[in-house]
Amino acid sequence: MPVAPRISVQTQDFNAQAEADLLTNGRKDVGALVSFTGLCRDEAGTLTALELEHYPGMAEAELTRIAEEAIGRWPLTGLTVIHRFGKIPPGDNIVLVVAASSHRRAAFEAADFLMDYLKTRAPFWKKEHLVSGGASSWVEARAVDDEDAARWT
Amino acid sequence: MPVAPRISVQTQDFNAQAEADLLTNGRKDVGALVSFTGLCRDEAGTLTALELEHYPGMAEAELTRIAEEAIGRWPLTGLTVIHRFGKIPPGDNIVLVVAASSHRRAAFEAADFLMDYLKTRAPFWKKEHLVSGGASSWVEARAVDDEDAARWT
Amino acid sequence: MNIRYFAWVRERVGIEEETIELPGTVKTVSDLIAHLKSLDEYHASAFEEEDAIRVALDQVHVETDAEIGDAREAAFFPPMTGG
Amino acid sequence: MNIRYFAWVRERVGIEEETIELPGTVKTVSDLIAHLKSLDEYHASAFEEEDAIRVALDQVHVETDAEIGDAREAAFFPPMTGG
């Protein structure tokens, strides 16, 4: 039976260790666990926060579709995707993907695939709020994200 | 200045979250963190433990060389490698790699590379101890690990 | 039909959500976009760069040549930038 | 020279570590392996499948045609199975 992914779209922060433990505790069939954490970055020191807007309902539905696609492609023992929304200050967590499998290559590829598809298909949009108080602006989609996603087709 | 990797070869368990926090706390330049945990697997229920033998001194030196190779190849903001030795029961952690970067592709590739090279180059050997009490035996190296490592040359 | 807007599409239209009676001539997403553009200058401005806009019908991504069929909700938004 | 053995190589030789005077004819790792095989049946058994054995000089991987030079420690072991 294929595993059921755990999907959450939430404002509060997540705990990557607790999520990993949910996929491994009490089991002996997990040989590899790959965890990806995406954080709010601000090297230039110009941001007060990124504001994440999402499409409630579709965000969960699309993340579930992407997760199920990954489960169909790789022999996973567990898969968790958490995406935050709302205002997120620099240094804070935005997204978490945890993929567990008997085998390391499956766990790596599933997590990598999931992030590529999430970037281009999950209905979230980032707006930058500036320290300067200037007009906040929407982050533009990058062509490289489409290229990354195209690696899996 | 290139980052200095954190390398540890130890008997005690590690905490993946604490290691990730060391690479992200108080920083705003980390956009992506990829963590790989390798666990002792025993789907058939035949093992009491894996015993990890290592070459003290060379294990640390070789992990450092592999980590520095990764730091030379990808723009990382931090890199941690922890490998345990001694008897490890099924379900417990064996190895941890955490790669942090501004960019997700660098973090994924560095962690993936590091595990491939670690598998084929770091001086650790696994011996299986059996529930049956039968003769314990050394795990054989797998050709697929050499193929995985060859992807990076 | 329920219409939702997100990110800068929402800001240009000036509303998050509206309910619209579709003329019988609106069969595809393209037809719907043409109809919305005709409503007022805000809609027209939001859909000015039509290629930059993505569409979902009942929360599933579709192309602009998709038939609207029995869909109850259409959503318009820029390319996604989550993750 | 200090010689170390690991995993099943160690078990076959029967010791973890030994110090050996190298004859002047031993220049390369291959020469060293030939010399070790000549010591007794345990060494001979350990190096029976020579292709299955990996070597490090002063804790750095080398091939069997490597010159021993000033190396102070040689180690012999099977292919690694960590991770």
Side-chain angles (χ1 to χ4, degrees):
Chain A
M1 207 179 73
V3 298
R6 163 163 150 68
I7 306 292
S8 178
V9 175
Q10 61 189 43
T11 53
Q12 69 271 29
D13 198 7
F14 48 77
N15 181 312
Q17 184 69 52
E19 296 301 330
D21 289 347
L22 283 177
L23 299 187
T24 57
N25 280 354
R27 303 184 69 139
K28 297 178 172 182
D29 59 340
V30 181
L33 191 123
V34 171
S35 169
F36 175 89
T37 306
L39 301 98
C40 177
R41 188 161 59 91
D42 176 33
E43 276 143 312
T46 55
L47 292 186
T48 54
L50 281 179
E51 183 167 5
L52 270 290
E53 179 170 335
H54 76 299
Y55 183 170
M58 181 171 170
E60 292 84 348
E62 189 66 22
L63 290 176
T64 302
R65 285 190 283 266
I66 299 168
E68 286 173 349
E69 170 89 18
I71 289 164
R73 288 184 182 219
W74 289 278
L76 304 179
T77 58
L79 182 58
T80 296
V81 185
I82 300 178
H83 204 303
R84 296 177 68 194
F85 64 92
K87 279 196 183 175
I88 297 180
D92 277 24
N93 294 323
I94 297 175
V95 61
L96 176 72
V97 170
V98 189
S101 175
S102 301
H103 301 289
R104 111 177 159 279
R105 189 117 306 287
F108 264 119
E109 291 184 358
D112 195 5
F113 164 89
L114 216 128
M115 279 308 303
D116 282 349
Y117 267 47
L118 182 155
K119 282 255 173 194
T120 55
R121 301 188 58 86
F124 292 86
W125 301 272
K126 289 196 187 98
K127 190 173 202 174
E128 293 181 333
H129 290 276
L130 304 178
V131 172
S132 69
S136 52
S137 63
W138 293 98
V139 172
E140 286 201 44
R142 302 177 316 148
V144 68
D145 288 330
D146 287 325
E147 290 158 23
D148 283 346
R151 296 184 304 148
W152 306 100
T153 53
Chain B
M1 208 180 73
V3 299
R6 163 162 150 68
I7 306 292
S8 178
V9 175
Q10 61 189 44
T11 53
Q12 69 271 28
D13 197 8
F14 48 77
N15 181 312
Q17 184 68 52
E19 296 300 330
D21 289 347
L22 283 177
L23 299 187
T24 56
N25 280 354
R27 303 184 68 140
K28 296 178 174 182
D29 59 341
V30 181
L33 190 124
V34 171
S35 169
F36 175 88
T37 306
L39 301 98
C40 177
R41 188 161 58 92
D42 177 34
E43 276 144 313
T46 56
L47 292 186
T48 54
L50 281 179
E51 184 167 5
L52 270 290
E53 179 170 336
H54 76 300
Y55 183 170
M58 179 170 171
E60 292 84 348
E62 189 65 24
L63 289 177
T64 302
R65 285 190 283 267
I66 299 167
E68 287 173 348
E69 170 87 19
I71 289 165
R73 288 184 181 219
W74 289 278
L76 303 180
T77 57
L79 182 58
T80 296
V81 185
I82 301 177
H83 204 304
R84 296 178 67 194
F85 64 93
K87 279 196 184 174
I88 297 180
D92 277 24
N93 295 324
I94 296 174
V95 62
L96 175 73
V97 170
V98 190
S101 175
S102 300
H103 301 289
R104 113 177 157 278
R105 190 117 304 288
F108 264 118
E109 291 183 359
D112 196 3
F113 165 88
L114 217 129
M115 280 308 303
D116 282 350
Y117 268 46
L118 182 155
K119 282 256 173 194
T120 55
R121 302 189 58 88
F124 291 86
W125 300 271
K126 289 196 186 100
K127 190 173 201 173
E128 293 182 331
H129 290 276
L130 303 178
V131 172
S132 69
S136 51
S137 63
W138 293 98
V139 172
E140 286 201 44
R142 301 177 317 149
V144 68
D145 288 329
D146 288 324
E147 289 159 23
D148 283 345
R151 296 184 304 148
W152 306 99
T153 54
Chain C
M1 178 172 219
N2 194 41
I3 314 284
R4 302 180 73 166
Y5 306 102
F6 294 95
W8 59 252
V9 180
R10 170 179 55 73
E11 290 179 341
R12 290 198 193 173
V13 175
I15 49 172
E16 292 182 15
E17 200 164 348
E18 60 189 329
T19 302
I20 281 182
E21 280 300 320
L22 295 192
T25 53
V26 170
K27 303 289 186 198
T28 68
V29 169
S30 283
D31 298 339
L32 174 57
I33 291 173
H35 176 67
L36 292 169
K37 283 170 84 163
S38 75
L39 294 180
D40 60 36
E41 62 187 297
Y42 301 105
H43 286 82
S45 151
F47 288 97
E48 205 170 288
E49 305 159 67
E50 232 178 279
D51 288 351
I53 292 185
R54 302 287 177 270
V55 193
L57 285 181
D58 286 344
Q59 309 192 348
V60 174
H61 292 293
V62 297
E63 301 296 325
T64 50
D65 60 0
E67 299 272 341
I68 290 171
D70 295 333
R72 292 187 299 181
E73 181 169 286
F76 297 93
F77 40 77
M80 283 67 77
T81 55
Chain D
M1 178 171 218
N2 194 41
I3 314 285
R4 302 180 73 166
Y5 306 103
F6 294 96
W8 59 253
V9 180
R10 169 179 57 73
E11 289 179 341
R12 289 199 195 173
V13 175
I15 48 173
E16 290 183 15
E17 200 164 349
E18 59 187 331
T19 303
I20 281 182
E21 280 301 319
L22 296 192
T25 52
V26 170
K27 303 289 186 198
T28 68
V29 169
S30 283
D31 298 339
L32 175 57
I33 290 173
H35 176 66
L36 292 169
K37 284 171 86 164
S38 75
L39 294 179
D40 61 34
E41 64 186 297
Y42 301 106
H43 286 82
S45 150
F47 288 96
E48 205 170 288
E49 306 159 66
E50 233 178 278
D51 288 351
I53 292 185
R54 301 287 178 269
V55 193
L57 286 181
D58 286 345
Q59 308 192 349
V60 174
H61 292 293
V62 297
E63 300 296 324
T64 50
D65 60 0
E67 299 272 342
I68 290 172
D70 296 332
R72 291 186 300 181
E73 182 168 286
F76 297 94
F77 40 78
M80 283 67 78
T81 55

